[in-house]
Each structure stands twice: as structure tokens, then as C-alpha cells.
Amino acid sequence: MKPFRFKQLVSVAKDEWRYWFRSKLALSVLVIGLVLTLSSVVVTASNMMELSHDRHALQNSAEETFLDQPDRHPHRMVHYGHYAFRVPSPLSVLDPGVDAYTGNSIFLEGHRQNSAMFADQRQGTALTKLGNLSPAFIVQVLAPLLLILIGYSAMSRERESDTLNFILSQGTSIFTLIGGKLLALFSIIALILLPLSMSGILAIAQGESVIATLGFLLGYLLYLVAWALLVLLCSTLFSKNSESFTALAFVWILLCVVMPRVASTTAATAVPSASKLETDFAVIAQLRKLGDGHNASDPAFNQLKASLLAQYNVDTVEELPINFRGAVASASEAELTGVLNEFAEQGMSKELSQTQVARQFGWLSPMVAVRSLSMITAGTSIETHHRFLRETESLRFDFVQALNKVHVEQLSYADDMNRNSSADAAQRARVDAKNWKILEDFNFEVDSASDRLQRSLLAYWQIILWLAGLLICIRWAGRRLS
Amino acid sequence: MSKVISHLSREWRFMLSQKYILVLLACTLIVSGFSVVSGIQEIAQQNQTIERLKIADALDRKEAQEKHSDPGSIAYYSFHLTYQAPSELAFAALGERDIYPWKHRIRMLALEGQIYESDAQNAELAQAGKIDFVFVLSALSPLIIILLFHDLVASERTSGRHDLLVTTANSAAALWGSRIIVRFVAFLVCLLLPFCIGAWFSEAAIGNVLEISLWSILYLVFWTVLSVLWGRKAKSAPRVASGLIGIWVLLAFIIPILGDLAIKESVHSPKGGDIVLTQREAVNGAWDLPKETTMDAFVATHPEWKDYVSMESMFEWKWYYAFQQVGDQKAASLSNEYRDAAQQKYDLAGFVSWLSPPMLLQRKLTRVAETDAIAAFEYEQQIREFHKQLRLFYYPFLFPPVEFDKTALEAMPSFERLVQIDGTDQNANVLASSQKSQLSNQ
């Protein structure tokens, strides 16, 4: 019985294909869809690769300029600072995600946590407010429309022209018929996903994990299958082509156009997040209590002074074998960083919970689900950006403290205190440029595949629930017909 | 007259009997209402944030001024809040405010190192976009119009009533005309009512509300006429709608995306990173340069202080602030190019938007609501202006050897005052003034 049914499925699908070839509409929609997908894949891939290349080069040149600095007072280098660039993940060729919306470079200096600068959107034309040419957008929003335009009449057509009863009376079950039409739509899905898979292979060649790429593509596959089922469900439910079409267009507007924005608006109002500026004020108020690390005579450092004097068993800071100013700079940097990190973590967790509220809308719209799934598995979601911020912060802290260590150990307190008295004294208050080698290479890499897949589990469940719900509905609608 | 009314009331009753039209209208009302309510909430949050920041800012500066006594240190440790308050109509067009910053804190150090800091909102939400009235109007309402009007003729054809209707009605114009008018007005009310209530609640200027309403109606008429004409002869409603949705995709996505690609290819802008790098090298390099080099470059643009540039110690605040300013001067040409490129891109996008009515409408409405890139550029210009005022305020205390009295701080420039003066001078061409101040920066 089984192989026979499969043959029937294929023959139904073949009939559907033949119908599409005869209908100009279906064919032109298909061609337009494929051209769009293909061009989005090519354009985005070349853009992201150029960005990736640029940022690698900028990172290297930032490191070189730091190392090339002349002999200086070590604290000058703390303020000279360093740059870190976020190199986009390999899968960003398919979904650039938040890349254009967060700054991609960050200036690292002592005593401050700067935000990322130069978001590409701000040099933009505002023309891509409704949509952009990324494969992610095309497949998430336009591909379902394509499936609707091609498939809305798959079942309703047979009912409208009264061929359904004929087909059913010939021994083809209603589910074989629906299955065959699904198979036909599936071939379209495969066509749409083909350029994406090629880009995926390219990403793998650039070091992306195979599992993450497969997970990414699987997400889109499930998503489009859900849409194919939705199309067939509406087409089975309504007896008229026009009704089926109107219903599908309406559902598409709700799920793909309205819902994602309702999700982000709701999230932003449900979890109001304090701006960085506001937390900056709180940070400053805290820092005033900690004392200014530039001023070693700030009473806030009396305790540090007492403990150092006791440790080395001397009476004055001048007698200490280490540079007290450096010790103060180092201690205050550590305390300050503690405060900064505390506030930064608060801000990030607020932002994350905001995002998670928006992601819950995936239960209501598979488009929201696949959107988060796509960004998370591609490593272009907010989590990856947060990790970038954390890693740059530890890079910042390490190089500042390494410079402070040089300050403590390689510059005498007397020379340091006299640095402003004359040009000679200023020269003496410098350390050798070879000390700048403390800078570590910074290579930002995307989160591990298992981390990303774990994060996207929720979205997978959301899509799977949609699939299950749709299958149940189709079963019910099919039974009603037969 | 009574004939017209009877036509209209007949069509009104007919519309009420069609469930899917009622569903569409109800959804329009709900989505439009949601966008207005959430827009008002968002703007209220922005205003509250500004109020909180203003209090924190005043307190913060007061503490800095109390803790330090010399003008150099006070200038170093005092931050100044700048912000761009949302306009009364911003609730309807949130515009670019989630991409460009509308609040900034600056101090008297080199501005190019500070001004690109962004205090942006959640990037993942910004990427999805928010739902505001302009979005509902420009992107969503054409789709609903298509669903409402595409099958005007075709549905009657398929149900077999078409010929009967046409022969029994006095004139085709009266039949289809009154049907179109009833549907259009019902839709218009569902769409615009929430906006008008929101505008009344936000106390928006009536002229602006009328302007937005007028643009909206024109835009909706465009789509209605297109839908009706497209579907005039058709037999199959889905085919009509497919074509119309195709046009919508073309106008809302494809043309803007292609335009965006073309503009990005044609306008070359210096990399933002190069501006801050140039500025950083200049500022940090100054520590190793002879003091005269810095002072000469400073005096070249600020000749009034040429008699006060000699230094007695290896560190003096006047020299410190001079090299901060020289750093800005070195980065000025790059920074101007960067801003010009952004402006140029925005202008070119204006041409593209003539091919894309949804984009044209968005640009118009965000302009009226002052939430577009132009408003963001103006705000940046205000920050630059304020930074300049701040520098000019401190220089007389830093360069000549005068006794500093803290009561002098009361005359410190304030960003609010600057914006007020700017506001009364709104007729002045913003571009001209920005170019002027760019010249004076160089």
C-alpha cells in the first residue's frame, strides 16, 4: 500500500507543477522570488565579507599603533587607549542581525566604559526602514508571501471547479491529495533554500560550525514548511479561491508585518530600560565616593596608604619600594571597574529581558520565532553583542592594569611626583616603549555552536508547536471534506 | 440629494452585512489604536527620562563644582546634559529616534572623541522596528485597502450578480461610487480616529495635524484608485490582489532597497573610525610635542589669546584645553566630510522616495514630527554649538592670569537656553548656519 501512495503523492505534485507552469502568475512569482533571494544572498555576502575584512585590518592596525607609541609616562598610555572591533560572524552573510544597529567599534581607555560607536544605520538613507535586502528578511517575510501567491488555490481550486469529488472518487484520499500539494510546495521551499544553503557552505568554509549552519537552515526549513501547511489549511477550509486568498493575505499581514513590530513595541513598554546615560550618573555618584585615581592625596586612599606602609614597614610613601601613585591608580581602577561592571551587567540583563519579552511573541507568530532563531544561531543577536561588550571590557581592564603595573614597578615615585617641574623631569617620568607589549591580541569570535543552539531552543519549540497545531487543523479540515 | 443618501445608506447596510469587511475595519482600528497608544507611551517615557536626567545632571554638576576650585578642574569634571525633546507629534512618527541618539552628555574635552558615543536603545528591538502610526499608515494601510477594494467588481462577477446590478442600477458611477465612498470613509475613520484622539491628547498644533491628515488621505486615495482601477475589468479577485500586493512589495521594499544600494555605492564617506583615530593621535601626540606647536595651532583659530600662551609649568590647564581643541581642528575636515556624506545620502534618498510613495509619506511625516535624520543632524549641530559656547566661556578664566571666583559659574552657557534661541530663529536656514559654523570650526 505504502509505495503506491507515494507514487500517488508524486503524481499529485506533478499535476500541481504542471498547473504552475501553465499559469503565468505562479511562474512569474516564482522567478521574482528566486531572483530576490539569490541577489540578497550575493549582495549581503559581499557586504559582510568586506566588513569582516575591514574590521580585521582595523583591529590589526589598532594593535600596531599601540605598540608603536614612543616612550611615555605609563598613565598616558592608559588614556591613549585602544580600539576593539567586532568582526561579524561567518553566518552573518545570511542574517546580519543587529550588526548595523549596534556600533561595531569600541574605544577602550582607563576609567571609562565607552559604548560602541558608529552604527552603520546612522549613515543610512532611512530607505530600509520597512525591509532590507538580507536573505533573512527576504525568506522571513517575502517567501511566505510567495508561497501564498503560488499555493492559495491548491485545494480551493479543486473545490471551486468541482474536480475534488472526481479525484476523491478515483481512490485518491484527501490526505494524499493534500500531501501531494505539500510536496509540490516543498519543492519551491527547496528552491528558495538552495541559495541560502550555498551561502551556508561558504560560511562553513570560513570556519562556521557545521551544526550551527545546519541548525540555522533547519529553522528556516521548518518555518517555510509551517507556511506551506498554513497555505494548504486555508485553501482546504475555504471553498472559494478568493476567500482562501483574502484569508491568507490577512494572516500574512498579521503574522509577518504587524506581529514583529507589536512584539518589539510591547517589549519596550513592558520592560522600560534605563538609558546608559542615566546609569552613568549613578556610576559617577558612586565613583565620587571611591575617590579620583589621578589624585593620590585623595583621602579616599588613606586606607590603601596605611596598609602599604604597614606591609613594607616604612613611614612615608616616599620610602616605599614601589610607586604609590601607580598603586593608587591600580587600586582605584579595580574598584571603579567593579562599579562599572555592576551597572553594565544590570543594563545588559534589562536589555536581555526586554528582548526575551519580544521573543515570547514567537508563540503567536512563527515569523517572530524564526527571526530570533535566525539571529541567535547566526551569532548576530543581542547576546553575542553583549559578549562582545564583556570581552572588550576584560581586554580594557587587563591592558589598563598591566600599564598600572608598569607604573607601580618601573617608575619611581620621586620622578613621578616631579614630572611637571621641568622638561628633563618630564623625560625622566617616562618608561620604555617596549612595555607597551602588554597588549593582548583581540580576536572576537562568535559564541560556540552549542551555546547558540541552546539559546534558540525556545524558537524551535515555537515553530514546532505551530507545525503540530497546523497538522492537527489540516487533519480536521481534511476529514470535514471527505 | 435624497437619491445620493439612499445610495449611501444602502451601501452602508450592505457593508455591515459583510463580515470580512467588518473584520478588516476592526483590525485597522485596533492596530491603529495600538500604534497611537504605544507611541504616546514611548514619548511619555522619553520625556520622563529627560526630566530625570535634567535633575541628575544639575546635581552632578553642582557636586563637581563644589569639589573642585580651579576653573580647569571644574571644566574637566563637569558634564553637561544635552537632549532633544520629542515634538508633540512624535508619538505618531517615532522615526529615527531609536537609531540616532537624542540625549548626550559632553564636557569641555575634544568633542570629536565624545559626539559619536551612542546611547541607543535595544538594538534587537530597533532592528525589528517599532509600530507607530506612520508605519500603520504607510505600510499596512495599502494592504488593507487592497483587501477592501480589489474584489469590488470581481466578487460580484463570481457571485453572478454583476450583470444584474449593472442593469438595474441607474448608473454604474452611482453604484460603484457609493460603494467605494462608504468603504473608504469607514476605513479612513478607523485609521485616523485614533491618530486624531492621540494628537488632541498630545496637544499637537492643529496645522500639523491637518497637514498629516491631508497627506494621509492623499496617500490612501492613491492606493484606493489604484486598487479599483486595477480590478475594474478583472474576473479573478485573487489575481487582482496578487498584482496589487506585487506593486506594494515593489514600492515599499524593492525600490527603496535598490535606491539604498545605489546611494551607498555612489556616496563615499570617510570611515567614522578614522575621525576618532585622527583626533586621538592629535590629542595624545600633543603631550610629546613642544608646547609652542600646540599653542600656535590654537592661536591660529583663537587669536584673542595670543598674548597668554607662555607656560610656567610642564602642565597647565590652558595648554591641556588648547590641545583638546587642536585635536578637534585636526579632525574637522574628516568630520565635516562624514556629516556631509550623511546629509548627501539623506538628500539622495529624497529623490528615490519620489518613486516609492510609502517612503515619501514616511519622510514627509517624520519631517513634520521632527523625528527624521534632519532633526538628528540639527541636534548634533546644537551640541557642537553648545560645546563651542562652553569653550569660549572657560577660556577667559584659563588663559589670562585672573582670580577665579565661583560666582562666575552662574553665567555658564546652558543647552536649554541655546535651544530656545535656536527655536525662535527657526526660519533661518539650518543648512546655511551649519555650514557657517563648520567654517568657523576650521
Side-chain angles (χ1 to χ4, degrees), chain B residues 184-238:
Chain B
F184 184 77
V185 170
F187 173 67
L188 197 65
V189 169
C190 290
L191 185 70
L192 284 184
L193 189 67
F195 164 70
C196 291
I197 295 175
W200 173 76
F201 179 80
S202 316
E203 298 170 0
I206 194 84
N208 287 340
V209 177
L210 284 178
E211 189 181 345
I212 289 190
S213 306
L214 187 72
W215 281 110
S216 314
I217 293 170
L218 274 179
Y219 181 72
L220 299 174
V221 165
F222 162 77
W223 280 103
T224 308
V225 169
L226 187 72
S227 304
V228 172
L229 288 184
W230 196 267
R232 200 173 28 148
K233 293 265 163 57
K235 289 200 188 70
S236 153

Side-chain angles (χ1 to χ4, degrees), chain A residues 80 122 125 264 278 288 292, chain B residues 52 63 77 118 129 260 281:
Chain A
Y80 180 76
R122 262 194 260 163
T125 55
S264 60
E278 259 182 286
R288 268 207 199 94
D292 177 6
Chain B
R52 284 198 303 271
E63 283 182 16
Y77 288 102
S118 59
D260 181 65
E281 295 302 325

Side-chain angles (χ1 to χ4, degrees), chain A residues 205-280:
Chain A
Q206 287 187 318
E208 181 56 273
S209 103
V210 178
I211 294 177
T213 312
L214 287 179
F216 180 87
L217 292 171
L218 177 71
Y220 278 101
L221 181 71
L222 294 178
Y223 171 68
L224 291 180
V225 168
W227 267 103
L229 289 176
L230 195 57
V231 168
L232 288 174
L233 174 67
C234 279
S235 195
T236 314
L237 276 180
F238 293 96
S239 58
K240 284 188 191 148
N241 286 338
S242 58
E243 284 173 353
S244 159
F245 182 87
T246 314
L248 280 169
F250 184 67
V251 169
W252 176 77
I253 294 171
L254 274 188
L255 297 186
C256 287
V257 184
V258 175
M259 219 36 113
R261 286 175 185 254
V262 168
S264 60
T265 301
T266 311
T269 31
V271 190
S273 63
S275 60
K276 178 169 184 294
L277 217 54
E278 259 182 286
T279 50
D280 278 355

Side-chain angles (χ1 to χ4, degrees), chain A residues 134-330:
Chain A
S134 74
F137 173 78
I138 302 280
V139 178
Q140 286 164 14
V141 179
L142 296 185
L145 187 62
L146 182 130
L147 290 175
I148 292 173
L149 293 180
I150 292 183
Y152 72 92
S153 68
M155 294 297 291
S156 58
R157 187 177 69 234
E158 312 285 4
R159 282 173 80 180
E160 209 172 82
S161 59
D162 278 335
T163 42
L164 184 67
N165 288 332
F166 176 70
I167 297 172
L168 292 184
S169 67
Q170 279 199 322
T172 310
S173 84
I174 182 86
F175 295 110
T176 312
L177 187 66
I178 296 178
K181 307 263 179 182
L182 183 65
L183 191 63
L185 283 178
F186 189 80
S187 61
I188 305 243
I189 295 175
L191 272 180
I192 297 172
L193 289 183
L194 193 66
L196 264 69
S197 315
M198 312 241 265
S199 227
I201 291 173
L202 203 72
I204 292 173
Q206 287 187 318
E208 181 56 273
S209 103
V210 178
I211 294 177
T213 312
L214 287 179
F216 180 87
L217 292 171
L218 177 71
Y220 278 101
L221 181 71
L222 294 178
Y223 171 68
L224 291 180
V225 168
W227 267 103
L229 289 176
L230 195 57
V231 168
L232 288 174
L233 174 67
C234 279
S235 195
T236 314
L237 276 180
F238 293 96
S239 58
K240 284 188 191 148
N241 286 338
S242 58
E243 284 173 353
S244 159
F245 182 87
T246 314
L248 280 169
F250 184 67
V251 169
W252 176 77
I253 294 171
L254 274 188
L255 297 186
C256 287
V257 184
V258 175
M259 219 36 113
R261 286 175 185 254
V262 168
S264 60
T265 301
T266 311
T269 31
V271 190
S273 63
S275 60
K276 178 169 184 294
L277 217 54
E278 259 182 286
T279 50
D280 278 355
F281 279 115
V283 170
I284 289 186
Q286 284 253 18
L287 294 188
R288 268 207 199 94
K289 289 184 211 142
L290 295 181
D292 177 6
H294 290 126
N295 181 7
S297 54
D298 196 312
F301 302 114
N302 283 345
Q303 206 190 338
L304 174 72
K305 186 168 151 186
S307 77
L308 279 176
L309 293 181
Q311 187 190 337
Y312 289 98
N313 201 15
V314 286
D315 297 326
T316 59
V317 288
E318 285 79 4
E319 291 171 82
L320 281 173
I322 58 162
N323 185 340
F324 180 62
R325 281 191 83 231
V328 164
S330 176

